[in-house]
Amino acid sequence: MMPNKFRKSLIYWLILSPLALVILFPFAVMFVTAVRPRDELFVYPATWGFSEFRWENFTEMWVKTNFGGALFNSLYVSVTATVIALLLSIPAAYALSRYRFVGKSAYRTFLLMTQMMSPIVLVLGLFRLMMKFGLVNNHMSLILTYAAFNMAFTVWMLQSYFNSIPRELEEAAWMDGASHFTSLIRVFLPLAVPAMVVTAIFTFINSWNEFVLALTMMRSSEDFTLPVQIYSQVAGRYQVEWHHVMAATVVATLPVAVVFSWLQRYLIRGMALGAVK
């Protein structure tokens, strides 16, 4: 007789398997294309079968596409933009969560409305602004832009999480003689670590995957981020090395996967914290 717990798990996996196949199918295509010999990329009908694994495709891709430089640029821009967005958003979110002031409701509405505007609408204006300050083809233009675009999201998310942290904990610290700043640093923020990690993950992913602004601001191939660098291997070329493109795409997904795996426990705790209000 099959145990009840095992039976439920099997039923859940059967229900979720179609969704899992749909999600994993693009990654399977990327990986298979990345490790196939170049001469067999368009062989029909052997779509999934091939004679050998060509792990050398990854090495060739790394050298020929300047992947290492683009990887460093993406990490630098995404991490720095995430840190700046969090540093500026935490005080704003704390004020929205803990204090009452004139225009608080209007400010929250403004934050929500900014998320409805596509960055593409502002590309021309941002480009002219960065040109005026001499930041075109400078990673600082992307860092400032990504941090600004993500701040509304981070403030909204953090404020929602901060509301779930009991105010009584800070009041107890005040009664023990701690200042507002001390209670914030030693009591409040440690409890908010899961929320900050969740927000940082989504901010990092938004910055990591952004393409339009990076394509507009960056002019030199040495300064390209990963999305633009991969795009440059396809656009305007008479012959596309698809095995290199797919190898680069596979490797480009690894940092995000590593971040999710490393911070998974904080992600789950943060989501649970936001759900309990």
Side-chain angles (χ1 to χ4, degrees):
M1 188 71 179
M2 185 180 298
N4 188 44
K5 183 177 180 180
F6 180 79
R7 187 187 305 113
K8 287 184 177 180
S9 299
L10 181 60
I11 293 174
Y12 293 154
W13 275 111
L14 290 175
I15 295 174
L16 294 174
S17 57
L19 178 61
L21 289 176
V22 171
I23 295 174
L24 294 177
F25 180 76
F27 296 96
V29 173
M30 286 192 303
F31 178 77
V32 170
T33 306
V35 298
R36 292 186 72 174
R38 183 178 182 277
D39 298 335
E40 300 180 17
L41 288 179
F42 301 103
V43 175
Y44 183 83
T47 305
W48 296 97
F50 45 91
S51 59
E52 61 176 334
F53 282 90
R54 286 280 300 176
W55 301 108
E56 297 84 356
N57 290 346
F58 290 92
T59 305
E60 295 174 0
M61 173 275 299
W62 190 280
V63 175
K64 293 183 178 181
T65 64
N66 188 32
F67 188 88
L71 177 62
F72 175 80
N73 294 337
S74 284
L75 285 173
Y76 169 66
V77 169
S78 301
V79 171
T80 308
T82 300
V83 171
I84 293 176
L86 281 181
L87 289 178
L88 297 178
S89 299
I90 289 174
Y94 183 80
L96 285 173
S97 175
R98 289 297 190 256
Y99 301 114
R100 296 180 179 179
F101 54 88
V102 178
K104 177 179 178 180
S105 178
Y107 180 67
R108 294 184 60 188
T109 304
F110 167 75
L111 291 178
L112 185 61
M113 291 178 61
T114 58
Q115 298 301 291
M116 303 177 184
M117 184 176 298
S118 173
I120 299 178
V121 179
L122 304 175
V123 165
L124 180 58
L126 288 171
F127 180 78
R128 291 175 62 87
L129 179 65
M130 294 304 170
M131 181 178 291
K132 182 179 180 64
F133 288 104
L135 294 178
V136 173
N137 202 37
N138 188 318
H139 290 139
M140 188 54 63
S141 63
L142 295 181
I143 292 172
L144 295 176
T145 305
Y146 292 168
F149 272 108
N150 282 293
M151 273 189 60
F153 168 78
T154 54
V155 170
W156 188 270
M157 289 287 293
L158 288 174
Q159 182 260 333
S160 177
Y161 284 121
F162 288 174
N163 287 340
S164 64
I165 300 178
R167 188 189 299 267
E168 290 76 10
L169 297 176
E170 295 176 89
E171 293 175 349
W174 299 339
M175 294 180 63
D176 290 338
S179 63
H180 282 68
F181 181 78
T182 302
S183 65
L184 174 65
I185 299 298
R186 296 188 176 182
V187 177
F188 186 86
L189 289 183
L191 294 174
V193 167
M196 291 186 289
V197 170
V198 171
T199 307
I201 288 176
F202 285 105
T203 304
F204 176 84
I205 292 175
N206 289 337
S207 302
W208 181 267
N209 292 330
E210 203 285 323
F211 171 74
V212 175
L213 290 174
L215 179 65
T216 305
M217 300 295 182
M218 296 296 105
R219 299 301 184 185
S220 173
S221 60
E222 288 78 12
D223 297 317
F224 284 171
T225 56
L226 276 180
V228 181
Q229 185 66 34
I230 295 174
Y231 168 77
S232 67
Q233 304 304 311
V234 179
R237 292 178 177 264
Y238 292 105
Q239 184 176 8
V240 179
E241 303 289 345
W242 286 110
H243 54 305
H244 290 165
V245 174
M246 291 302 178
T249 307
V250 169
V251 179
T253 61
L254 292 180
V256 176
V258 170
V259 168
F260 263 96
S261 299
W262 182 35
L263 301 175
Q264 184 179 16
R265 64 182 185 276
Y266 293 106
L267 182 66
I268 296 174
R269 288 171 56 190
M271 289 183 173
L273 179 63
V276 180
K277 293 184 180 180

